[in-house]
Amino acid sequence: MSAPTGERPRRPSPVASARPQRRPRKPPPQPFTLLGLVGLAAFTLVTAWDWVLGIGFNPIALPGELADSNPAMVEGLFNITDADWRADYAELLRTHFTDPDSPWLLSLDSRIGSGLVETVQIAVLATLVGAAVSLPLAVLNSRLGAPNRTTHAVIKTLNNINRAIPDVIWAALFVVLVSVGALPGILALTMFTIGVVVKLTSDVVDGVDLGPVEAARAAGASHAAAMRTALVPQILPSFASFSLYAFELNLRGAAVLGFVGAGGIGQAMNYYWSQLDFEAVSVIIFVYLVLVVIVEQVSISVRRRLV
Amino acid sequence: MTETRSRPARSRLAEQVRPERPFARFRWTVTLVLTALLVWSSATVDASWGRLTEAPGRAVGFAQTLVANASLEPLGVALEAMWESIAIAWIATLIGAVCSFPLVFLAAGNLTRGRVKQPVRQLLNVFRAVPEIVLAIALIPFLGLGPVTGAVAMGISSIGTLGKLSAEIVESIDRGPLEAVEASGGGRLTRLRWAVLPQAMPEIAAFWLYRFEINIRVSAVLGVIGIGGIGGFIAQAVERNVFERIGLGLVVVILATMLVDAISSRLRRRLIEGPSPAAQARRERASVAGAEHEEDPE
């Protein structure tokens, strides 16, 4: 071992040299990190404080606020410990979803049942129509698929605008254009589906294998033919998976549409809420939740099979 | 038999070269199911399809009314509503981020055993499955109808997605640093601090920002049930035919959402890719100069 080299005992190192080794200094934090943390804290304080620019969110007082509830609503919505409430609940489920005259005993003709069916219909139609429109738009929304830069830029801007408008706002606007009912709901969620599927699918287009496209071009294919035969088959599985994902989102989104008059289960929810019939609202929430969970499980298993 | 033999050799060759397309059962099932769904839905849904033909004409008329009534007078109220939506979304994201963060490490398969991982995953799935509107309505009896209700509802729902996606990020980290910390005697928390966080944190933070973008849209949606914000502002304006508010509200929501998206996506890129090469070079030059300066006395 080498002789002591300095005042500090050091580990023997294979590159022991004349220059004393030092532990390298830890680099100071990046200005980005510092600015980011400060900005984060400032933004949080501004938005959480109870003043003009904040919503008055106080995490410490929150448990107290939660405990200080509206007893009528709580008892209506989830008074599970009460036997009478449970009996009422079962009775509600029975009157809304069974029909002794029907061959299957089940019936979806009540306000809640038909609302539920309409929600599914709106989601299905919006997803199918929206996805069908989205595939060509997704191709045009990518650098590879657009025939020229202008098309790419125009489609991209339009879709960004589309995505910036929340689905309920679309629904409210379509209610003005085609009046109340399921139709404005279908149209609104179609726009929403286009926004989601085009965005996600065109991101996939940017990462495809260019080989087949070049081969198609070399064989003399037109731009459209090259895209159809060489690009679309590559993005089809992701596209299908995103469309299913959009269906899940649509089923969730369809519940809100009723509040602006665009059909679906939200209409029933809004109706019973305004009647202060919280038990019926609770039934709706429960049944709708079951539906969403079932559809999600099916969709997830199909999506796993796809990609 | 005779017919086959009489065919010219060339076409037989062609037949051989192109094999028959195999029967794609999956594809046919999907096509059939989709067609059935389409037919059933469009036939039974209570939609007045006839109104669709009138829609373009009405849209033009509506757009003209909006332009004719264009005014900057309600700008202050609209901006205030938009800011409220953004604030709700931010608080919701923060609730989701803070509550999901400890769960992430329990839900990551490379840090915990299946015994711990599975229940945590299931918990996250429950949070994810419940739609925000259901959560919001369930919270109204406790918190009333206001921005905080919306923020808490969206926050709870964010816990699910953020937790699941962040756990997937943690599962994809490089094992090397983890083993290195273990080999030098690091405990559980040390491993988290020095092996997991440095690798996973940028991407997790990027996901938080992404969730913030989504939450802005969700908060606008929840606005219609009355939690406040730009969604309720526009929906009410549509209901009451206040055209100057509809037009301005739309412009504000589109511009603000796109602006936040743009800022957030730049921040996300910076988080994941690190500083730009130019900035990196500048910093390195500065630190090298500093280091040389330090060495000088020797």
Side-chain angles (χ1 to χ4, degrees), chain A residues 117-137:
Chain A
V117 173
E118 195 172 63
T119 301
V120 176
Q121 289 168 329
I122 291 176
V124 166
L125 285 171
T127 313
L128 287 176
V129 177
V133 182
S134 295
L135 188 58
L137 284 179

mmCIF file of all heavy atoms in Angstrom, chain A residues 117-137:
data_model
loop_
_atom_site.group_PDB
_atom_site.id
_atom_site.type_symbol
_atom_site.label_atom_id
_atom_site.label_comp_id
_atom_site.label_asym_id
_atom_site.label_seq_id
_atom_site.Cartn_x
_atom_site.Cartn_y
_atom_site.Cartn_z
ATOM 1 N N VAL A 117 -80.444 2.412 -21.388
ATOM 2 C CA VAL A 117 -80.315 1.893 -22.751
ATOM 3 C C VAL A 117 -79.895 3.009 -23.701
ATOM 4 O O VAL A 117 -78.999 2.831 -24.537
ATOM 5 C CB VAL A 117 -81.653 1.268 -23.214
ATOM 6 C CG1 VAL A 117 -81.564 0.880 -24.676
ATOM 7 C CG2 VAL A 117 -81.996 0.072 -22.361
ATOM 8 N N GLU A 118 -80.508 4.184 -23.522
ATOM 9 C CA GLU A 118 -80.177 5.282 -24.419
ATOM 10 C C GLU A 118 -78.713 5.693 -24.270
ATOM 11 O O GLU A 118 -78.035 5.997 -25.257
ATOM 12 C CB GLU A 118 -81.078 6.480 -24.130
ATOM 13 C CG GLU A 118 -81.049 7.508 -25.232
ATOM 14 C CD GLU A 118 -82.091 8.590 -25.021
ATOM 15 O OE1 GLU A 118 -81.987 9.322 -24.010
ATOM 16 O OE2 GLU A 118 -82.991 8.715 -25.858
ATOM 17 N N THR A 119 -78.223 5.657 -23.030
ATOM 18 C CA THR A 119 -76.811 5.979 -22.805
ATOM 19 C C THR A 119 -75.908 5.045 -23.615
ATOM 20 O O THR A 119 -74.967 5.489 -24.273
ATOM 21 C CB THR A 119 -76.482 5.853 -21.308
ATOM 22 O OG1 THR A 119 -77.314 6.748 -20.591
ATOM 23 C CG2 THR A 119 -75.041 6.176 -21.040
ATOM 24 N N VAL A 120 -76.225 3.744 -23.565
ATOM 25 C CA VAL A 120 -75.424 2.782 -24.308
ATOM 26 C C VAL A 120 -75.530 3.061 -25.808
ATOM 27 O O VAL A 120 -74.523 3.064 -26.530
ATOM 28 C CB VAL A 120 -75.878 1.341 -23.992
ATOM 29 C CG1 VAL A 120 -75.103 0.350 -24.831
ATOM 30 C CG2 VAL A 120 -75.700 1.045 -22.526
ATOM 31 N N GLN A 121 -76.750 3.311 -26.270
ATOM 32 C CA GLN A 121 -76.933 3.562 -27.702
ATOM 33 C C GLN A 121 -76.139 4.783 -28.156
ATOM 34 O O GLN A 121 -75.474 4.765 -29.188
ATOM 35 C CB GLN A 121 -78.413 3.774 -28.006
ATOM 36 C CG GLN A 121 -79.218 2.493 -27.895
ATOM 37 C CD GLN A 121 -80.702 2.757 -27.914
ATOM 38 O OE1 GLN A 121 -81.170 3.796 -27.452
ATOM 39 N NE2 GLN A 121 -81.453 1.804 -28.439
ATOM 40 N N ILE A 122 -76.230 5.850 -27.369
ATOM 41 C CA ILE A 122 -75.485 7.067 -27.722
ATOM 42 C C ILE A 122 -73.993 6.749 -27.807
ATOM 43 O O ILE A 122 -73.315 7.105 -28.781
ATOM 44 C CB ILE A 122 -75.734 8.178 -26.672
ATOM 45 C CG1 ILE A 122 -77.170 8.662 -26.769
ATOM 46 C CG2 ILE A 122 -74.770 9.331 -26.873
ATOM 47 C CD1 ILE A 122 -77.538 9.690 -25.717
ATOM 48 N N ALA A 123 -73.489 6.030 -26.795
ATOM 49 C CA ALA A 123 -72.057 5.722 -26.780
ATOM 50 C C ALA A 123 -71.670 4.852 -27.975
ATOM 51 O O ALA A 123 -70.640 5.097 -28.627
ATOM 52 C CB ALA A 123 -71.678 5.034 -25.471
ATOM 53 N N VAL A 124 -72.490 3.844 -28.288
ATOM 54 C CA VAL A 124 -72.173 2.952 -29.400
ATOM 55 C C VAL A 124 -72.149 3.721 -30.721
ATOM 56 O O VAL A 124 -71.166 3.655 -31.481
ATOM 57 C CB VAL A 124 -73.221 1.802 -29.488
ATOM 58 C CG1 VAL A 124 -73.114 1.090 -30.817
ATOM 59 C CG2 VAL A 124 -73.029 0.833 -28.348
ATOM 60 N N LEU A 125 -73.215 4.475 -30.983
ATOM 61 C CA LEU A 125 -73.285 5.176 -32.264
ATOM 62 C C LEU A 125 -72.177 6.210 -32.392
ATOM 63 O O LEU A 125 -71.522 6.314 -33.433
ATOM 64 C CB LEU A 125 -74.653 5.845 -32.415
ATOM 65 C CG LEU A 125 -75.771 4.860 -32.746
ATOM 66 C CD1 LEU A 125 -77.129 5.533 -32.656
ATOM 67 C CD2 LEU A 125 -75.569 4.294 -34.143
ATOM 68 N N ALA A 126 -71.956 6.972 -31.310
ATOM 69 C CA ALA A 126 -70.915 8.001 -31.372
ATOM 70 C C ALA A 126 -69.559 7.363 -31.618
ATOM 71 O O ALA A 126 -68.752 7.875 -32.401
ATOM 72 C CB ALA A 126 -70.900 8.804 -30.077
ATOM 73 N N THR A 127 -69.297 6.231 -30.965
ATOM 74 C CA THR A 127 -67.991 5.592 -31.149
ATOM 75 C C THR A 127 -67.839 5.071 -32.570
ATOM 76 O O THR A 127 -66.800 5.277 -33.206
ATOM 77 C CB THR A 127 -67.818 4.431 -30.160
ATOM 78 O OG1 THR A 127 -68.196 4.865 -28.863
ATOM 79 C CG2 THR A 127 -66.398 3.948 -30.139
ATOM 80 N N LEU A 128 -68.884 4.388 -33.087
ATOM 81 C CA LEU A 128 -68.767 3.817 -34.428
ATOM 82 C C LEU A 128 -68.590 4.912 -35.476
ATOM 83 O O LEU A 128 -67.670 4.856 -36.304
ATOM 84 C CB LEU A 128 -70.001 2.970 -34.741
ATOM 85 C CG LEU A 128 -70.083 1.635 -33.995
ATOM 86 C CD1 LEU A 128 -71.373 0.920 -34.301
ATOM 87 C CD2 LEU A 128 -68.901 0.760 -34.378
ATOM 88 N N VAL A 129 -69.468 5.921 -35.433
ATOM 89 C CA VAL A 129 -69.372 6.994 -36.431
ATOM 90 C C VAL A 129 -68.056 7.746 -36.262
ATOM 91 O O VAL A 129 -67.318 7.972 -37.233
ATOM 92 C CB VAL A 129 -70.570 7.952 -36.309
ATOM 93 C CG1 VAL A 129 -70.432 9.096 -37.291
ATOM 94 C CG2 VAL A 129 -71.869 7.205 -36.540
ATOM 95 N N GLY A 130 -67.750 8.106 -35.012
ATOM 96 C CA GLY A 130 -66.538 8.879 -34.756
ATOM 97 C C GLY A 130 -65.284 8.130 -35.189
ATOM 98 O O GLY A 130 -64.402 8.693 -35.841
ATOM 99 N N ALA A 131 -65.228 6.831 -34.864
ATOM 100 C CA ALA A 131 -64.034 6.057 -35.213
ATOM 101 C C ALA A 131 -63.909 5.934 -36.731
ATOM 102 O O ALA A 131 -62.808 6.041 -37.281
ATOM 103 C CB ALA A 131 -64.098 4.676 -34.574
ATOM 104 N N ALA A 132 -65.043 5.728 -37.413
ATOM 105 C CA ALA A 132 -64.992 5.596 -38.875
ATOM 106 C C ALA A 132 -64.417 6.863 -39.503
ATOM 107 O O ALA A 132 -63.615 6.803 -40.434
ATOM 108 C CB ALA A 132 -66.387 5.309 -39.423
ATOM 109 N N VAL A 133 -64.824 8.019 -38.987
ATOM 110 C CA VAL A 133 -64.303 9.280 -39.531
ATOM 111 C C VAL A 133 -62.842 9.473 -39.129
ATOM 112 O O VAL A 133 -62.068 10.084 -39.869
ATOM 113 C CB VAL A 133 -65.164 10.458 -39.019
ATOM 114 C CG1 VAL A 133 -64.678 11.769 -39.590
ATOM 115 C CG2 VAL A 133 -66.619 10.244 -39.358
ATOM 116 N N SER A 134 -62.484 8.930 -37.965
ATOM 117 C CA SER A 134 -61.168 9.233 -37.407
ATOM 118 C C SER A 134 -60.010 8.601 -38.171
ATOM 119 O O SER A 134 -58.929 9.168 -38.228
ATOM 120 C CB SER A 134 -61.090 8.749 -35.959
ATOM 121 O OG SER A 134 -61.975 9.464 -35.169
ATOM 122 N N LEU A 135 -60.236 7.411 -38.747
ATOM 123 C CA LEU A 135 -59.108 6.711 -39.357
ATOM 124 C C LEU A 135 -58.460 7.543 -40.473
ATOM 125 O O LEU A 135 -57.253 7.802 -40.422
ATOM 126 C CB LEU A 135 -59.547 5.333 -39.864
ATOM 127 C CG LEU A 135 -58.403 4.444 -40.345
ATOM 128 C CD1 LEU A 135 -57.382 4.232 -39.237
ATOM 129 C CD2 LEU A 135 -58.926 3.089 -40.816
ATOM 130 N N PRO A 136 -59.241 7.998 -41.485
ATOM 131 C CA PRO A 136 -58.602 8.847 -42.506
ATOM 132 C C PRO A 136 -58.047 10.138 -41.916
ATOM 133 O O PRO A 136 -56.959 10.584 -42.308
ATOM 134 C CB PRO A 136 -59.729 9.132 -43.499
ATOM 135 C CG PRO A 136 -60.985 8.727 -42.854
ATOM 136 C CD PRO A 136 -60.653 7.703 -41.819
ATOM 137 N N LEU A 137 -58.765 10.733 -40.959
ATOM 138 C CA LEU A 137 -58.279 11.985 -40.373
ATOM 139 C C LEU A 137 -56.966 11.768 -39.634
ATOM 140 O O LEU A 137 -56.070 12.615 -39.672
ATOM 141 C CB LEU A 137 -59.320 12.556 -39.410
ATOM 142 C CG LEU A 137 -60.519 13.227 -40.066
ATOM 143 C CD1 LEU A 137 -61.485 13.729 -39.006
ATOM 144 C CD2 LEU A 137 -60.064 14.389 -40.931
#
